[in-house]
Amino acid sequence: MSAEFASTADMADKAVTFDSIGPDLYAFTAEGDPNSGVIVGDDGAMVVDAQATPVMARQVIERVAKVTDKPIKYVLLTHYHAVRVLGASAYAGAEILASAGTRALIAERGKADMDSEIGRFPRLFRAVASIPGLTWPSITFPDQMSVWLGRREVRIMHIGRGHTAGDVVAFVPDANVVFSGDLVEYRSACYCGDAHFTDWPATLDRLAEFSASALVPGRGAALKTPRQVADGIALTEDFLTTLYAAVSDAAGKGRSLKEVYDDARRVMDPKFASFAIYEHCMPFNVSRAYDEAKGIEHPAIWTAERDRAMWAALRG
């Protein structure tokens, strides 16, 4: 079990896949790295999640250009984390969409999160100098909005808290396809450092009610059939509920954070240790779950300094 901080030892490039998941719908995935989605309509396209840097975003833009000559009119931020949003400046002229909850998180913790994630993911931020600063949305909405790409509707909805307080999904009704952001991960560990554990399973249950034909998760392979979609949602929920049950039980017995972390690893490792970014996520996940179990409803802000101190305390 490597004790290297977060993903600092993960420097090998990942193979990119650009899959069709429906009519004029695509998934940009890369072996457990952050995914992007692409929705093409009659008069333009939308990219779902912007990538970590403008240099990385250009990989998405290049693939979009191979399937359509229509302009990218919109970039949707499904939530706020630096690895998802700081590439937005590459999409020249596009409107940047986000929920009001996500905008509030940027205002509250955007710079701290940026510095934190740059320290955690050196490979994803190799082109850090290309980032002009924080990404701010140009259009926000409280809970739901529809964007029309000609005759194609993209319905953007906040269906509950989970990975963050501001998560949204993008639903394309004519194809019955969903882009979930990090509410769903497929064979990749959920990052829960800013999560709401007691809300997230119910949010996933609402997502399952879409009975989507295909789904693009935040990380991992695209889910291209209804059975795969159901399995991906169920696996995500199993990860979350197993983790929170282990942490809340141990925290309720008055055990220290380090003891709770060790207990949680004993429960989680046999089922989930093979998942992408598992070693990175678990210290952050247990820390947030421990806080929530202790009654801290609003996730504490992660900073580069807090990251390192927590890691030293739990991983040594």
Side-chain angles (χ1 to χ4, degrees):
M1 186 169 68
S2 171
E4 292 282 349
F5 173 66
S7 289
T8 55
D10 176 14
M11 297 302 293
D13 288 331
K14 309 298 184 186
V16 170
T17 300
F18 193 66
D19 286 337
S20 173
I21 56 161
D24 291 319
L25 300 168
Y26 302 91
F28 178 100
T29 66
E31 299 183 295
D33 275 0
N35 294 339
S36 290
V38 178
I39 304 166
V40 181
D42 302 316
D43 62 356
M46 176 185 294
V47 169
V48 180
D49 289 325
Q51 295 287 314
T53 67
V55 168
M56 294 193 72
R58 283 196 280 275
Q59 297 182 50
V60 179
I61 294 167
E62 289 167 1
R63 284 163 176 81
V64 173
K66 292 178 180 179
V67 297
T68 183
D69 59 0
K70 299 180 177 72
I72 298 171
K73 289 188 170 184
Y74 302 95
V75 175
L76 171 65
L77 312 180
T78 61
H79 62 284
Y80 180 74
H81 278 133
V83 291
R84 295 290 180 191
V85 308
L86 293 181
S89 63
Y91 301 91
E95 298 281 7
I96 309 299
L97 313 177
S99 70
T102 289
R103 192 188 192 287
L105 290 173
I106 298 170
E108 178 193 50
R109 61 185 65 202
K111 182 61 166 64
D113 182 84
M114 178 178 176
D115 294 342
S116 165
E117 295 199 33
I118 288 170
R120 297 186 206 175
F121 294 103
R123 175 174 56 82
L124 295 180
F125 286 103
R126 278 184 297 209
V128 66
S130 67
I131 300 169
L134 291 179
T135 295
W136 290 94
S138 55
I139 298 174
T140 61
F141 52 93
D143 296 304
Q144 181 171 325
M145 72 175 293
S146 286
V147 173
W148 292 89
L149 300 171
R151 292 167 295 176
R152 169 164 264 182
E153 181 186 11
V154 182
R155 200 173 297 161
I156 304 166
M157 293 170 280
H158 173 70
I159 59 172
R161 300 188 303 184
H163 177 68
T164 72
D167 298 305
V168 296
V169 301
F171 175 55
V172 183
D174 68 71
N176 196 36
V177 169
V178 172
F179 299 79
S180 72
D182 282 334
L183 283 172
V184 177
E185 313 286 20
Y186 187 64
R187 304 201 68 79
S188 178
C190 300
Y191 173 70
C192 307
D194 301 304
H196 295 268
F197 279 95
T198 52
D199 290 5
W200 198 338
T203 301
L204 290 174
D205 291 344
R206 287 188 282 275
L207 182 58
E209 292 172 2
F210 285 78
S211 299
S213 300
L215 182 146
V216 179
R219 291 177 184 263
L223 306 172
K224 300 179 182 180
T225 69
R227 173 58 65 87
Q228 289 179 350
V229 172
D231 287 348
I233 293 172
L235 192 59
T236 301
E237 190 160 346
D238 187 26
F239 184 99
L240 298 167
T241 55
T242 302
L243 172 61
Y244 193 61
V247 171
S248 57
D249 178 66
K253 295 175 180 175
R255 298 171 71 82
S256 70
L257 177 59
K258 179 63 169 77
E259 290 170 327
V260 170
Y261 176 75
D262 292 340
D263 288 346
R265 290 297 302 253
R266 283 189 284 271
V267 173
M268 295 288 287
D269 285 8
K271 294 177 72 173
F272 303 111
S274 65
F275 283 20
I277 68 166
Y278 178 80
E279 294 292 343
H280 175 147
C281 289
M282 278 300 289
F284 297 95
N285 292 357
V286 172
S287 296
R288 171 56 193 152
Y290 186 79
D291 280 355
E292 187 165 331
K294 292 287 191 179
I296 299 173
E297 195 273 338
H298 190 66
I301 296 173
W302 291 99
T303 66
E305 295 76 20
R306 183 186 174 211
D307 290 357
R308 294 278 182 173
M310 177 276 296
W311 195 271
L314 296 187
R315 297 294 300 269

